[in-house]
Amino acid sequence: MSEETPESTGETAPTVSGADVPPDHLSVNPRSPFFDAEKLQRGVGIRFKDRVRTDIEEYSITEGWVRVQAGKAVDRKGQPLTLKLTGPVEAWYEDLGENPPVAKKG
């Protein structure tokens, strides 16, 4: 019986934390296959190279990069030009309060 209790708590914890962390790859551009309006509405916080950033257009945690807009420049279709910056990326949902679970490359 004591062995069953750790297994049940072990199964519950990843499911709950898995639901409470943002996806590995997310974009704010509706044309992107990684766009998800429901997840963006919750508010996603991004820490890139130990600094909280609010200007992120797209990110990938496992690949370790973010895309930021390059000033006011746009391409010929009117989409903003972006720069790909590499480094450690962490993401969390801002609606979870003070100490939310953080998705990061582990």
Side-chain angles (χ1 to χ4, degrees):
M1 284 226 167
S2 62
E3 292 178 5
E4 292 175 7
T5 306
E7 288 178 6
S8 63
T9 57
E11 291 174 2
T12 307
T15 306
V16 171
S17 65
D20 289 343
V21 295
D24 174 60
H25 194 152
L26 189 62
S27 174
V28 298
N29 186 348
R31 295 181 178 187
S32 171
F34 300 105
F35 176 78
D36 190 341
E38 292 177 16
K39 292 179 177 145
L40 290 171
Q41 284 179 347
R42 291 186 66 184
V44 177
I46 303 292
R47 181 177 296 118
F48 178 68
K49 292 187 178 180
D50 297 326
R51 185 174 145 220
V52 176
R53 303 279 303 251
T54 58
D55 60 344
I56 303 297
E57 297 282 324
E58 184 176 1
Y59 70 86
S60 175
I61 296 171
T62 55
E63 294 176 14
W65 57 262
V66 297
R67 287 197 179 274
V68 295
Q69 189 169 351
K72 295 183 180 183
V74 293
D75 65 8
R76 62 183 177 203
K77 295 180 182 177
Q79 297 296 314
L81 293 179
T82 59
L83 299 173
K84 185 176 183 179
L85 307 174
T86 59
V89 181
E90 298 177 8
W92 65 91
Y93 285 122
E94 294 179 334
D95 66 351
L96 294 178
E98 291 293 318
N99 293 318
V102 176
K104 57 185 171 181
K105 189 175 179 180

